[in-house]
Amino acid sequence: MASSVSAEPILEVSGLVKHYPLTQGILFKKQVGAVKAVDGVDFTLHRGETLGIVGESGCGKSTVAKMLVNLEKPTAGEIRYKGEDVTGLSGRALRAVRRNIQMVFQDPYTSLNPRMTVGDIIGEPYEIHPEVAPKGDRRRKVQDLLDVVGLNPEYINRYPHQFSGGQRQRIGIARGLALRPEVIVADEPVSALDVSVQAQVINLLDRLQSEFELSYLFIAHDLSIVRHISDRVGVMYLGRIVEIGRDAEIYDHPTHPYTQALLSAVPVPDPEAREHRERIILAGDVPSPTNIPSGCRFRTRCWKAAQRCELEVPALAVPAQFRLETGPAAHDSACHFAEEKQVVPPEEPPDDHTNGGV
């Protein structure tokens, strides 16, 4: 977790949307719909902070990450870096922003070019930004980065296939640090690694944050990992953030039914605690992003759903009951009934239409 978080925002995302058009026809293509991968996301990342984004596969987490580093162009919305809207930048202005917002990718086996040595992979950013490191100084800088991420500097001439998965991810992290960015977007950086290696990479990221004064957007589906590293946590469902707050607020006092269901599925090592924990089993499957339900998009799987949920889109805000309070429940939640005490749905045996977990 970040050691020193500033109140100063470094990255502000407002109304971020990414729709992929669905077309029909061969000669005369006509749009007949859209995949709403991201459908109105808002959050702020503060300097020195780690903001964790969690949710099921397909909820739009990785698409948000790609838009932040300009690998995908938003359909609508704004991304502001240090107060400047960077969504429409190109050329030299875009390169300057990309230098300060770098990405660590999910799969260390496919994100490194197998034909390039480790030295070439980590030093490649210097070819695009030669002002950062003169040619005669690049080899030393690459070796310094290898040392920083816990690898032997003498490995500089080796190829990716000569490294384990954890070592490859360290190489990816070193590449991300090469230009001394201020923001690192980490898209599920440990999901492809063995459990024993995950902790090592998380501890490395934690140390590097203090050493390089980094701000992290950390994307994952493993709630226990996110809790370990994050200052705040945002929960995504079907292209939107449905709950966001400090880690203790989300994990100890979740107010959105989807968050409650996610947390009830987290493994508990204590057998006695596990036996007394109430498990929430959600009915049905996640709706298609091409046909999102009206009103609250979680209502088709929610045990609290009422007619209001079908008609009104809940705003991501502090529930009315808690607006004058400063307790753990006073954080943003997109649920009409967020202030109500959690009601666990009755357990039913799974059938053909029941998802046996989250």
Side-chain angles (χ1 to χ4, degrees):
M1 189 178 294
S3 57
S4 178
V5 178
S6 167
E8 178 188 355
I10 191 168
L11 206 60
E12 298 167 275
V13 172
S14 176
L16 197 62
V17 172
K18 182 61 180 179
H19 292 176
Y20 296 96
L22 294 175
T23 59
Q24 280 185 348
I26 299 175
L27 295 178
F28 303 99
K29 291 185 179 295
K30 178 177 69 173
Q31 183 171 342
V32 294
V35 176
K36 299 177 180 178
V38 177
D39 202 28
V41 165
D42 303 89
F43 63 80
T44 299
L45 177 67
H46 299 95
R47 189 178 293 276
E49 177 186 46
T50 298
L51 173 62
I53 301 293
V54 299
E56 293 170 278
S57 296
C59 71
K61 307 185 299 295
S62 293
T63 305
V64 169
K66 290 175 184 176
M67 285 190 284
L68 294 180
V69 296
N70 211 56
L71 293 178
E72 292 276 6
K73 292 287 187 184
T75 305
E78 285 187 351
I79 299 169
R80 305 186 74 85
Y81 169 67
K82 297 167 95 171
E84 178 188 6
D85 184 6
V86 300
T87 48
L89 296 183
S90 60
R92 185 175 299 176
L94 176 59
R95 284 197 299 273
V97 171
R98 276 183 164 169
R99 174 182 168 181
N100 290 299
I101 305 175
Q102 289 289 302
M103 188 166 180
V104 175
F105 294 91
Q106 175 178 357
D107 189 354
Y109 294 92
T110 59
S111 62
L112 304 180
N113 189 332
R115 296 178 181 271
M116 295 173 67
T117 66
V118 167
D120 290 336
I121 289 170
I122 298 175
E124 189 174 22
Y126 300 139
E127 299 292 334
I128 302 168
H129 299 272
E131 71 281 2
V132 177
K135 279 194 174 183
D137 200 31
R138 291 177 189 175
R139 183 178 178 88
R140 181 188 59 81
K141 282 186 174 291
V142 169
Q143 288 180 316
D144 288 345
L145 286 168
L146 284 170
D147 185 53
V148 162
V149 299
L151 294 175
N152 191 329
E154 295 181 4
Y155 292 169
I156 190 169
N157 293 320
R158 294 189 179 185
Y159 289 86
H161 73 270
Q162 296 175 279
F163 296 89
S164 67
Q167 288 175 321
R168 293 186 199 191
Q169 196 59 290
R170 288 172 186 265
I171 294 167
I173 293 169
R175 178 177 57 187
L177 291 173
L179 299 176
R180 295 300 298 266
E182 295 183 296
V183 177
I184 293 283
V185 179
D187 184 15
E188 304 219 31
V190 297
S191 64
L193 306 178
D194 293 339
V195 174
S196 59
V197 180
Q198 288 181 356
Q200 298 173 18
V201 174
I202 292 296
N203 290 335
L204 171 64
L205 290 171
D206 209 8
R207 175 174 63 80
L208 293 174
Q209 182 169 41
S210 300
E211 188 173 335
F212 289 86
E213 299 181 342
L214 296 166
S215 304
Y216 287 146
L217 184 76
F218 189 91
I219 293 170
H221 62 268
D222 189 320
L223 288 152
S224 57
I225 288 176
V226 170
R227 183 170 198 175
H228 178 78
I229 197 172
S230 300
D231 298 291
R232 288 188 303 131
V233 177
V235 181
M236 280 192 73
Y237 182 79
L238 261 187
R240 283 189 181 171
I241 291 179
V242 296
E243 187 167 5
I244 189 168
R246 296 197 64 81
D247 59 345
E249 295 171 344
I250 298 297
Y251 284 87
D252 299 336
H253 300 274
T255 57
H256 195 282
Y258 178 61
T259 309
Q260 294 167 359
L262 280 179
L263 290 172
S264 81
V266 175
V268 176
D270 184 353
E272 187 173 338
R274 183 167 61 243
E275 185 177 337
H276 292 90
R277 183 179 64 166
E278 294 177 299
R279 179 77 166 88
I280 299 175
I281 308 295
L282 293 179
D285 298 319
V286 181
S288 168
T290 63
N291 186 25
I292 292 175
S294 63
C296 174
R297 53 194 60 205
F298 184 61
R299 66 176 176 81
T300 57
R301 305 173 75 194
C302 182
W303 63 95
K304 292 183 180 181
Q307 186 176 12
R308 180 186 180 187
C309 303
E310 184 178 352
L311 301 175
E312 300 177 31
V313 177
L316 181 63
V318 177
Q321 181 178 334
F322 305 121
R323 284 175 190 164
L324 300 179
E325 301 180 11
T326 57
H331 61 272
D332 291 346
S333 182
C335 178
H336 294 307
F337 305 107
E339 69 275 9
E340 291 187 3
K341 185 178 179 181
Q342 176 180 346
V343 178
V344 179
E347 290 195 18
E348 297 179 358
D351 55 32
D352 292 340
H353 305 287
T354 301
N355 182 6
V358 180

